[in-house]
Amino acid sequence: MSTTKSTPPILLDGFESIIAISGTDAGAFLQGQTTNDASALTTGNSQFGALCNPKGRVITLYYLLLKDDIFYMIVPSTLCPNITKRLTMFVFRSDVKIKDVSSQFSILGNIHEINTMADKNIFAEINIKEQPRLSFVIKDKVSHTESSNSSISNWSSTLISTGIPRITEATSEAFIPQMLNLDVLNGISFTKGCYTGQEVVARLHYKGTVKRRMYIFSSALLIDSGTDLLIDGNTNSSGTVVECSKQSDSTYTGTVVFKVDDFSTTPIPLCELGDITLKLSPYSLETES
């Protein structure tokens, strides 16, 4: 048995939502919409990926679970209505039903480990990262006290520190998946068939160079998601903030899509925003062609 001390699970209701995709054509439908290979998903397992627009820009990131012939997709709550509506637009005559089922479940963020087998209310667990262990725990809806801003901030900071991106309304349709490091986070299949935005994503993989990558940054200021960052003295943006969260009373941490050529581990002076310090995410950015 692991002796790792666990942080109590963090209630994410209202922060993350769940969409159910069901019907005999659900798998084929998702295969044409998602960057990952939905057809390879087996029951009880999950995968990470993105929904893109025709220009290959990420509308949302998702975690997809298959259970009892139904696909469950976790997406940020602020994007859920738009995602539900958008997916429904592409159903046409397929046997596919799409429904926001967030009212039926509670979602918790699990840092380290909890004994899921001991709780009969556990519906499923979706792994995000192995080391340190991060996961979403989906439970039957039960009464909970509302999540505090501090606990949500703790969850966000943990995702940031492990280099896991999260898209919000401010950054939806701003980035190509590789800019968010999805190609090294197992969030893209380059062997599956066509999907919305696939041509752009595949062309960058096989014929292009990823000129912007996602890094972790620290700052003395809270910088809003979607903010363009200009290095002092430059007139063109070097990067765009993906997410930012409070780390301590005097520091903030975040993720930023930044020009690879401008990356530096020494403090970078920004126009009107003070300095930021960048560091690599804790995984290799090397990819296989």
Side-chain angles (χ1 to χ4, degrees):
M1 181 180 295
S2 173
T3 58
T4 303
K5 185 177 180 181
S6 298
T7 299
I10 297 168
L11 181 64
L12 300 175
D13 290 357
F15 190 68
E16 303 288 349
S17 295
I18 307 179
I19 300 170
I21 303 98
S22 60
T24 56
D25 298 326
F29 171 77
L30 285 170
Q31 191 73 338
Q33 301 296 324
T34 60
T35 58
N36 218 326
D37 189 354
S39 68
L41 200 55
T42 55
T43 189
N45 291 315
S46 60
Q47 61 183 208
F48 178 51
L51 298 176
C52 297
N53 66 18
K55 295 181 179 180
R57 299 280 170 164
V58 174
I59 301 170
T60 190
L61 301 174
Y62 66 79
Y63 294 87
L64 189 66
L65 166 76
L66 177 61
K67 183 169 182 178
D68 300 328
D69 296 323
I70 299 175
F71 292 89
Y72 295 91
M73 180 179 284
I74 293 185
V75 298
S77 295
T78 56
L79 295 175
C80 186
N82 179 51
I83 298 305
T84 304
K85 180 179 179 181
R86 185 181 182 87
L87 288 175
T88 302
M89 287 172 52
F90 293 102
V91 170
F92 302 118
R93 297 184 179 180
S94 300
D95 179 20
V96 177
K97 295 181 179 63
I98 298 169
K99 183 180 180 181
D100 180 354
V101 293
S102 304
S103 62
Q104 299 176 28
F105 300 102
S106 289
I107 306 175
L108 296 96
N110 178 28
I111 303 174
H112 302 311
E113 292 194 39
I114 60 173
N115 185 0
T116 57
M117 299 304 293
D119 192 336
K120 294 181 180 180
N121 290 321
I122 295 292
F123 177 75
E125 186 169 9
I126 296 178
N127 188 55
I128 299 173
K129 197 173 187 298
E130 289 295 342
Q131 295 295 331
R133 187 164 183 263
L134 299 175
S135 65
F136 289 116
V137 174
I138 304 173
K139 301 180 63 173
D140 296 333
K141 198 73 171 184
V142 293
S143 297
H144 286 289
T145 55
E146 292 187 3
S147 300
S148 66
N149 289 333
S150 60
S151 62
I152 292 293
S153 179
N154 183 29
W155 176 252
S156 296
S157 294
T158 302
L159 290 183
I160 288 167
S161 69
T162 53
I164 305 297
R166 186 176 185 272
I167 292 297
T168 61
E169 287 180 297
T171 52
S172 182
E173 303 190 55
F175 309 114
I176 293 171
Q178 288 97 320
M179 295 180 183
L180 297 168
N181 302 343
L182 260 66
D183 49 338
V184 297
L185 290 170
N186 298 318
I188 308 172
S189 170
F190 293 104
T191 58
K192 63 175 281 185
C194 294
Y195 58 88
T196 304
Q198 183 260 349
E199 184 178 350
V200 175
V201 177
R203 186 189 306 123
L204 179 58
H205 177 70
Y206 290 111
K207 297 183 178 180
T209 301
V210 183
K211 296 182 179 180
R212 291 177 183 246
R213 281 288 190 181
M214 191 184 76
Y215 304 103
I216 299 170
F217 76 88
S218 58
S219 169
L221 299 175
L222 176 65
I223 308 177
D224 292 335
S225 299
T227 300
D228 286 330
L229 303 182
L230 277 68
I231 296 177
D232 203 14
N234 291 357
T235 56
N236 295 321
S237 171
S238 289
T240 304
V241 173
V242 180
E243 190 174 18
C244 188
S245 180
K246 188 174 183 178
Q247 188 173 36
S248 69
D249 290 339
S250 58
T251 60
Y252 296 85
T253 184
T255 47
V256 59
V257 169
F258 211 76
K259 286 182 180 179
V260 173
D261 289 345
D262 288 344
F263 175 81
S264 173
T265 56
T266 59
I268 299 173
L270 300 176
C271 296
E272 300 180 1
L273 293 173
D275 293 353
I276 64 166
T277 301
L278 301 179
K279 69 176 182 178
L280 294 170
S281 296
Y283 47 75
S284 174
L285 293 177
E286 295 297 322
T287 61
E288 296 181 4
S289 300

